Amino acid sequence: MTDTEGTSPRVVIIGAGIVGCSLADELTARGWTDVTVLEQGPLPAPGGSTSHAPGLVFRTSPSKTLSAFATYTVEKFGALEVDGLPCFDAVGGLELATTEERWAELHRRAGYAASWGIRGELVSAARCKELWPLLDESKVLGGFHTPDDGLARAVLACRAQRERAESRGARFLERHTVTGIERADGRVTGVVTDRGVFPADHVVSAAGFWGPVVGRMAGVDVPLLPLAHQYAKTRPLPELAGADDERAEASRPILRFQDRDLYFREHADRIGIGSYAHRPLPVDPFTVPSYDQAAVMPSSLAFTPEDFAPSWEDCRELLPALAGSEIEEGFNGVFSFTPDGMPLLGEARSLRGFWLAEAVWVTHSAGAAKAVAEWMVDGRPAVDVHACDLARFEDAQRSPAYVHDRGARQFVEVYDVLHPLQPMEEPRPLRVSPFHTRQRELGAYFLEGGGWERPHWYEANAPLVEGITVPERDAWSARYWSPIAAAEARATREKVALYDMTPLRRLEVTGPGALAFLQRMTTNNLAKKPGAVTYTLLLDESGGIRSDLTVARLAEDRFQIGANSRADEDWLLRHAPADVHVRDITSGTCCVGVWGPLARALVQPLTRDDVSHRGFGYFRAKETYLGHVPVTAMRLSYVGELGWELYTSADLGLRLWDTLWEAGQEHGVIAAGRSAFNSLRLEKGYRSWGHDMTTEHTPYEAGVGFAVRMDKGDFLGRAALERAGEPRRRLTPLLLDDPAAVVLGKEPVYVDGRPAGYVTSASYGYTLGRCVAYAWLPPLAAGSAVHIEYIGEKVPATVADEPLFDPDMSRIRR
């Protein structure tokens, strides 16, 4: 990753906050020493979000990636000191429950901690009082204590990392305002400032809430919304008197009162209070004053007491010692939110060499910087970052209105109890398939993903539940679920059902070099005659699974790809040679899955083509007509039943649906939703990329080694697979022993009483009469007993052989 003379690439980092300093340290530690960090304000506290950050580092998150980032931040800052002062105080963290709903949520959070290897325990109200004597114990049901969390001294951590980076050759230049980004031939070439131009091979925007400003200079969209967040400090409290040792600025855990959107930390003899309870306060990054023009600093806006007043009453109710105190000072501090609450990391394809390290809080700062440094130097981060990849957003999710609305909602939901299936409320509906009108007529219950409205079940099928025994569910797992899913699954197994597969991404790859390109990019052999469909994988250089694809060769130089995300298109476009064209065709097309033992009986009368097993084999594609509608038919099944994926243009989508619906009436056709779909695919053991497998996993670990053809020639990631040893972990199918038990995903799995892995995907298998869960575990023999922790309860499960349903594939190949 160095130039032809063996020298270090020239890197310019914009922003000397916690992310910029961490990145400079990480890059120089890896040998990239020609690093210049430009900062518009004065060092060491230049006036961005870092300069006012309260420094909370809580590692437990539903996101494995964010937990990994925070864990590294704790480890790194915990080893740093400046002038004898630690950069991290491991005072611990304490989350309180004052409602039954929150108490259940803390049990789930304890499960996340066990899944991700974080030390934590659920504690009684009395123990909460011991940890925070100022608490009114009568208001508390219990808490979640994480003793290794704590407070990062962000400005000190910046200094420590800056000094290390400087010792390796980096330079930090204060009072340099960036005014432009130079580029040529699609690559970044330099950064223009008010004090000169700095040539660069790589430029990293670590500008915090100024990210959109820098992005506009580079012609790169940065979808984040700066918002102001209230922080206040009390007057000195007699109960904290004597706590004036600078090394012990805080001795009690960080306290989170999420039921009122509040957190607390000590500042010697005072208490600092942060509130998310107020109305969203958006800030235009293009109008933020410079350091010298700001009243305090650019990221510190005037306190609005009227917004804080209700929170102050909640504070005094929880901490009676505050009854006689007052707020002595406060400010509204600005920091960044994205539409999905995750960071923005990675290189912009539209301007090669221009990187983002934005929307990163102090909590995740060192971990995110490490990931970006690995990405730049080694070509990939060690941890999976697909949920942070700047390429993840759809065009419909990048409008200023969407970024504003969803960013503001992320602020409101920071401490909310959110179900994993909970859809956003606005803007909806945003993206709908051509079948949306018919789905509404059938009483579809829609959830949302990627902006798409996705039916999860149909109320029209409620009468089919009669006679089906479906175990009752607890309130959490019953949310966004209906027993109708069981009826839809049965109808798919016994008759035939229509599934809306339109939201799945479709790419078209064409050109004389298309076959050679796809052969080089993917693991399976695609050198087959037109009409063949192949399941294959995209790997990175280390053999990690970037995505899984279905590739249909429709002509000598034309392929249709079923992909997972916008990042798949981005990856292929980055590597495509001049004689290959990659195009996203999702919005202009639609897809209906027709699956079930009567699928052939439904489809055959609509076409003159032979759709028998002999005439239209499994994993084959054919362009034909169904009634008046031209379709690309692919004989694929993600639910383990006979059937086809039928594609047509969006303008003909409604006619396709109506044609299939009318023809299917004599066969008892139904429309079925994602809830049944997920159940059926797990019974067959079909993997879901991004949930069951990511770049952190190889094909052999994930159980998809059958999609790798080492004899086909070279492909991206092949060398790494050749070096790979025997897997030390495997994606493992589990069946819960109790027919009435369910889990949802991300729960810890215990082997011999100790956490050994975590659940990736789970759903009740209505055909099997058991909940199916897949989990990453050490290699275990079929029949081995394990336990899954679900909301504090250890649920017994057994390792199973896969596929769990129809192992000889006779139902699909009939």
Side-chain angles (χ1 to χ4, degrees):
M1 299 297 291
T2 59
D3 65 24
T4 55
E5 298 178 358
T7 57
S8 173
R10 298 167 299 178
V11 179
V12 174
I13 299 171
I14 301 172
I18 192 66
V19 178
C21 291
S22 296
L23 180 57
D25 184 44
E26 295 290 337
L27 285 173
T28 56
R30 287 166 173 78
W32 281 24
T33 54
D34 190 349
V35 174
T36 301
V37 183
L38 302 174
E39 174 51 61
Q40 63 181 342
L43 297 175
S49 301
T50 300
S51 301
H52 71 245
L56 281 66
V57 182
F58 277 92
R59 292 169 300 152
T60 303
S61 166
S63 166
K64 182 174 180 289
T65 299
L66 291 186
S67 288
F69 285 172
T71 295
Y72 181 77
T73 300
V74 167
E75 294 169 353
K76 184 176 186 180
F77 292 177
L80 296 177
E81 283 192 357
V82 175
D83 297 335
L85 290 175
C87 293
F88 182 78
D89 292 322
V91 295
L94 178 62
E95 303 179 48
L96 300 178
T98 60
T99 65
E100 292 292 346
E101 183 184 27
R102 182 69 59 179
W103 187 226
E105 173 70 358
L106 293 189
H107 281 76
R108 288 186 288 271
R109 290 182 62 77
Y112 297 145
S115 290
W116 316 144
I118 297 167
R119 192 162 65 109
E121 64 173 342
L122 293 162
V123 296
S124 66
R127 177 58 176 154
C128 291
K129 177 75 170 178
E130 291 176 10
L131 291 166
W132 252 85
L134 276 62
L135 278 175
D136 181 350
E137 181 183 352
S138 68
K139 299 287 193 298
V140 178
L141 299 178
F144 176 47
H145 181 220
T146 47
D148 303 318
D149 290 341
L151 295 165
R153 302 186 188 214
V155 174
L156 279 186
C158 283
R159 180 179 160 191
Q161 293 177 103
R162 185 178 77 243
E163 291 175 353
R164 290 207 309 199
E166 287 173 333
S167 72
R168 303 183 189 115
R171 57 177 176 165
F172 286 71
L173 303 177
E174 63 181 2
R175 299 287 188 175
H176 281 65
T177 299
V178 173
T179 59
I181 305 295
E182 292 189 334
R183 38 195 157 152
D185 300 323
R187 283 203 63 89
V188 70
T189 60
V191 177
V192 183
T193 75
D194 58 350
R195 299 175 67 176
V197 178
F198 295 83
D201 302 302
H202 297 272
V203 173
V204 185
S205 177
F209 61 79
W210 284 286
V213 179
V214 176
R216 180 176 293 182
M217 297 177 195
V220 174
D221 182 41
V222 181
L224 66 79
L225 176 71
L227 286 150
H229 159 59
Q230 291 201 299
Y231 193 79
K233 292 181 182 178
T234 67
R235 287 183 173 180
L237 297 175
E239 292 84 353
L240 301 179
D244 55 1
D245 179 1
E246 191 176 20
R247 284 189 58 90
E249 186 177 286
S251 59
R252 295 174 178 84
I254 313 160
L255 187 67
R256 290 209 282 190
F257 183 20
Q258 289 121 311
D259 288 325
R260 292 293 184 272
D261 296 310
L262 293 166
Y263 64 82
F264 306 84
R265 59 151 294 182
E266 293 174 292
H267 292 276
D269 60 352
R270 300 190 295 169
I271 292 178
I273 305 164
S275 171
Y276 293 99
H278 55 84
R279 62 194 168 95
L281 299 167
V283 175
D284 183 352
F286 292 89
T287 62
V288 173
S290 67
Y291 188 92
D292 294 322
Q293 294 173 328
V296 180
M297 58 175 131
S299 64
S300 181
L301 306 183
F303 191 62
T304 49
E306 65 277 10
D307 289 312
F308 194 75
S311 291
W312 180 236
E313 294 304 313
D314 291 331
C315 293
R316 294 197 291 185
E317 189 172 328
L318 181 71
L319 306 175
L322 298 180
S325 184
E326 294 179 359
I327 296 299
E328 187 172 73
E329 60 179 295
F331 65 96
N332 291 359
V334 184
F335 63 141
S336 304
F337 286 80
T338 59
D340 61 3
M342 297 294 285
L344 294 169
L345 308 179
E347 183 189 28
R349 180 173 46 82
S350 60
L351 183 59
R352 303 299 294 272
F354 183 80
W355 297 76
L356 294 185
E358 298 290 9
V360 179
W361 297 1
V362 170
T363 307
H364 312 112
S365 55
K370 176 176 179 284
V372 173
E374 291 169 337
W375 210 339
M376 296 174 71
V377 177
D378 303 325
R380 71 182 292 271
V383 297
D384 166 54
V385 294
H386 81 272
C388 308
D389 193 324
L390 64 93
R392 69 189 182 271
F393 291 115
E394 305 288 339
D395 288 341
Q397 297 173 304
R398 289 180 171 272
S399 70
Y402 187 94
V403 172
H404 176 278
D405 293 350
R406 293 307 304 155
R409 189 63 196 172
Q410 288 296 327
F411 178 92
V412 171
E413 293 177 348
V414 162
Y415 282 162
D416 285 3
V417 176
L418 299 176
H419 193 278
L421 292 176
Q422 185 167 331
M424 66 182 188
E425 297 177 3
E426 296 290 341
R428 288 185 67 193
L430 183 61
R431 307 176 79 188
V432 297
S433 79
F435 325 129
H436 186 69
T437 299
R438 297 292 183 264
Q439 292 166 343
R440 292 182 62 187
E441 291 169 355
L442 293 170
Y445 186 90
F446 292 100
L447 298 181
E448 179 273 340
W452 287 100
E453 294 295 315
R454 302 183 182 212
H456 273 243
W457 64 84
Y458 294 85
E459 288 298 329
N461 297 323
L464 302 179
V465 178
E466 187 175 350
I468 298 178
T469 301
V470 183
E472 290 189 12
R473 292 198 174 201
D474 65 279
W476 184 249
S477 65
R479 198 180 297 184
Y480 307 110
W481 171 85
S482 169
I484 294 172
E488 293 177 358
R490 172 181 281 188
T492 307
R493 291 278 188 241
E494 296 181 354
K495 293 183 179 180
V496 61
L498 305 185
Y499 287 83
D500 181 1
M501 305 302 289
T502 301
L504 300 183
R505 181 166 298 279
R506 291 172 291 286
L507 306 176
E508 182 182 72
V509 179
T510 57
L515 175 60
F517 168 62
L518 291 173
Q519 284 283 76
R520 178 169 57 85
M521 294 301 297
T522 72
T523 60
N524 213 331
N525 185 14
L526 306 181
K528 302 171 183 177
K529 293 180 181 180
V533 183
T534 307
Y535 177 80
T536 188
L537 308 171
L538 288 178
L539 305 183
D540 60 25
E541 292 282 4
S542 297
I545 304 171
R546 282 193 58 93
S547 189
D548 63 341
L549 313 173
T550 53
V551 180
R553 190 175 192 183
L554 301 179
E556 289 293 328
D557 59 356
R558 180 164 64 94
F559 296 80
Q560 181 172 310
I561 295 177
N564 284 296
S565 72
R566 183 72 176 268
D568 293 344
E569 178 194 10
D570 184 80
W571 180 253
L572 293 174
L573 284 169
R574 287 174 185 273
H575 291 84
D579 63 349
V580 173
H581 183 61
V582 179
R583 184 169 69 99
D584 188 323
I585 61 172
T586 308
S587 297
T589 57
C590 59
C591 178
V592 182
V594 182
W595 290 310
L598 301 183
R600 183 175 288 118
L602 188 159
V603 171
Q604 184 62 83
L606 300 175
T607 179
R608 295 181 179 181
D609 286 298
D610 179 8
V611 298
S612 67
H613 185 60
R614 180 184 294 273
F616 198 152
Y618 189 52
F619 264 81
R620 300 293 298 173
K622 185 178 294 188
E623 294 181 306
T624 184
Y625 289 87
L626 294 184
H628 298 92
V629 182
V631 300
T632 299
M634 299 185 197
R635 192 168 164 202
L636 306 174
S637 176
Y638 206 53
V639 300
E641 294 294 335
L642 170 69
W644 289 265
E645 293 178 358
L646 303 174
Y647 299 89
T648 192
S649 55
D651 59 324
L652 291 167
L654 188 58
R655 184 61 177 263
L656 174 62
W657 180 278
D658 288 346
T659 298
L660 294 168
W661 186 258
E662 182 179 348
Q665 291 308 300
E666 64 180 291
H667 306 293
V669 71
I670 67 161
R674 298 286 299 183
S675 188
F677 177 87
N678 200 45
S679 170
L680 297 169
R681 73 99 179 166
L682 280 170
E683 290 184 331
K684 284 297 294 180
Y686 293 147
R687 277 56 169 156
S688 173
W689 184 85
H691 295 94
D692 301 318
M693 55 191 185
T694 69
T695 55
E696 295 182 10
H697 312 112
T698 70
Y700 305 119
E701 293 173 326
V704 289
F706 62 87
V708 178
R709 293 290 182 267
M710 299 296 282
D711 58 353
K712 76 159 187 172
D714 195 24
F715 57 84
L716 190 65
R718 175 189 170 128
L721 294 186
E722 289 177 332
R723 296 190 300 267
E726 190 69 20
R728 291 181 293 179
R729 58 181 177 175
R730 294 185 185 277
L731 187 61
T732 305
L734 306 174
L735 281 175
L736 274 61
D737 295 350
D738 182 352
V742 295
V743 297
L744 299 181
K746 300 187 178 181
E747 296 91 353
V749 182
Y750 289 75
V751 177
D752 297 329
R754 301 177 63 85
Y758 60 92
V759 174
T760 59
S761 293
S763 180
Y764 199 86
Y766 300 107
T767 316
L768 302 173
R770 292 283 192 282
C771 183
V772 180
Y774 271 76
W776 280 104
L777 292 169
L780 296 171
S784 298
V786 301
H787 287 84
I788 303 172
E789 184 178 323
Y790 177 71
I791 315 183
E793 179 185 354
K794 296 292 198 308
V795 180
T798 302
V799 175
D801 281 320
E802 63 175 342
L804 303 169
F805 176 79
D806 188 29
D808 62 1
M809 303 286 283
S810 61
R811 298 177 70 91
I812 292 178
R813 299 180 185 275
R814 67 177 78 190

